[in-house]
Amino acid sequence: MGFVKYEVQDAVGIITIDREKALNALNSEVLDDLNAAFDNVDLDTVRCLILTGAGDKSFVAGADIGEMSTLTKAEGEAFGKKGNDLFLKIESFPIPVIAAVNGFALGGGCEIAMSCDFRICSENAMFGQPEVGLGITPGFGGTQRLARLVGMGMAKQMIYTARNIKSDEALRIGLVNQVVSSEELLPTAKKIASTIAMQAPIAVRACKKAINDGYQTDINSGAAIEEKLFGSCFETEDQREGMGNFLKKKDDPTKVKHVAFQNK
């Protein structure tokens, strides 16, 4: 994984796209390295992931234009599938993935950030889908996820005009969850990830699956998905410990302590 670094701190994994001289642009090798990094995550010990880019100038500046400039129609479609397959893997990854967006998140950078569960960004972050200015469409899910996140009208305006937006507007339209200083970006993401990692891992995974799967269906089908995943949590050690701990302390709710949940 020459262009991707992976480290684990307690139960939180940090995946860093490390192609700083090219502003962390996504070429085929970077996509392969990212795919390998996600495949190598130990789901028995890691409960939440953070995805970020090396340096403070760019999260991911986009897909590598040098590589794309000579592609044929068939090669372009294959390159789009390569990115889409990876981003769908990230979106459906069993544990939560937080994007810590530092600087540019353009084209493929915006698309990979949107494939994460949610986004925390630095004040100098910049988002956009500038592909029409290059004579192409977004190819790694931008036409699909942006509309789902910010609404069809706003997504069409951003994509049709190739306009980039700053962090404050990204927050206003719901593209990101929180804006912090560059210095506080990783500490903030780590704090949120650690809080997630403290929760019952089986329940967190079930919640992610229920939200993702249910969002693509009508409310009745979504409720049925939730019912099954709700039921799947029962008879687990996490459920017994969590509820047992609560009941022991029910006479004094201020003394309810968090359970050190295990992957069971």
Side-chain angles (χ1 to χ4, degrees), residues 7-25:
E7 60 181 311
V8 178
Q9 299 177 6
D10 296 323
V12 175
I14 303 172
I15 296 175
T16 304
I17 301 168
D18 188 15
R19 196 185 176 209
E20 191 173 352
K21 290 183 179 180
L23 297 177
N24 302 320

Side-chain angles (χ1 to χ4, degrees), residues 206 210 223-235 239 243:
I225 291 170
E226 182 181 272
E227 289 165 12
K228 288 189 176 296
L229 289 163
F230 175 68
S232 72
C233 294
F234 288 84
E235 299 186 44
Q239 178 257 328
M243 291 188 177

Side-chain angles (χ1 to χ4, degrees), residues 137-151:
T137 71
F140 294 166
T143 61
Q144 304 305 304
R145 292 190 181 91
L146 188 59
R148 285 167 166 79
L149 283 170
V150 306

Side-chain angles (χ1 to χ4, degrees), residues 21-255:
K21 290 183 179 180
L23 297 177
N24 302 320
L26 302 173
N27 61 13
S28 293
E29 189 173 352
V30 175
L31 294 175
D32 287 339
D33 287 351
L34 279 168
N35 193 62
F38 277 90
D39 283 345
N40 287 330
V41 174
D42 183 357
L43 293 172
D44 290 331
T45 57
V46 176
R47 299 182 180 180
C48 188
L49 289 173
I50 296 170
L51 178 66
T52 194
D56 57 8
K57 292 183 179 180
S58 180
F59 171 68
V60 171
D64 192 301
I65 297 173
E67 179 176 356
M68 290 192 297
S69 64
T70 60
L71 297 180
T72 65
K73 288 182 179 180
E75 289 168 341
E77 185 175 343
F79 188 59
K81 178 173 172 49
K82 188 182 191 75
N84 265 323
D85 287 350
L86 171 61
F87 293 6
L88 287 166
K89 173 185 282 191
I90 295 172
E91 186 172 59
S92 61
F93 205 66
I95 61 177
V97 184
I98 302 170
V101 179
N102 40 318
F104 296 118
L106 306 177
C110 188
E111 289 169 312
I112 195 171
M114 290 191 293
S115 73
C116 297
D117 289 272
F118 55 88
R119 290 143 293 285
I120 310 297
C121 78
S122 60
E123 293 170 334
N124 70 329
M126 183 82 69
F127 296 85
Q129 300 291 159
E131 286 87 352
V132 295
L134 300 170
I136 58 174
T137 71
F140 294 166
T143 61
Q144 304 305 304
R145 292 190 181 91
L146 188 59
R148 285 167 166 79
L149 283 170
V150 306
M152 188 174 290
M154 182 61 71
K156 286 181 174 181
Q157 182 180 354
M158 285 181 62
I159 291 171
Y160 296 172
T161 63
R163 183 173 69 91
N164 298 333
I165 62 173
K166 296 181 179 179
S167 58
D168 57 346
E169 187 170 358
L171 179 64
R172 179 181 66 80
I173 66 175
L175 184 55
V176 302
N177 294 59
Q178 187 176 352
V179 180
V180 297
S181 67
S182 296
E183 295 76 17
E184 288 300 311
L185 179 60
L186 267 182
T188 300
K190 288 177 182 177
K191 182 176 181 180
I192 296 171
S194 294
T195 301
I196 293 171
M198 290 172 61
Q199 312 308 318
I202 292 173
V204 171
R205 293 187 191 195
C207 286
K208 176 168 181 173
K209 184 169 178 58
I211 294 169
N212 283 359
D213 292 357
Y215 189 74
Q216 309 299 328
T217 68
D218 60 87
I219 186 64
N220 291 325
S221 299
I225 291 170
E226 182 181 272
E227 289 165 12
K228 288 189 176 296
L229 289 163
F230 175 68
S232 72
C233 294
F234 288 84
E235 299 186 44
T236 64
E237 190 64 27
D238 283 354
Q239 178 257 328
R240 286 191 286 266
E241 289 183 10
M243 291 188 177
N245 181 71
F246 181 84
L247 292 173
K248 288 178 183 177
K249 304 293 183 179
K250 67 178 181 179
D251 293 333
D252 186 359
T254 62
K255 292 184 178 180

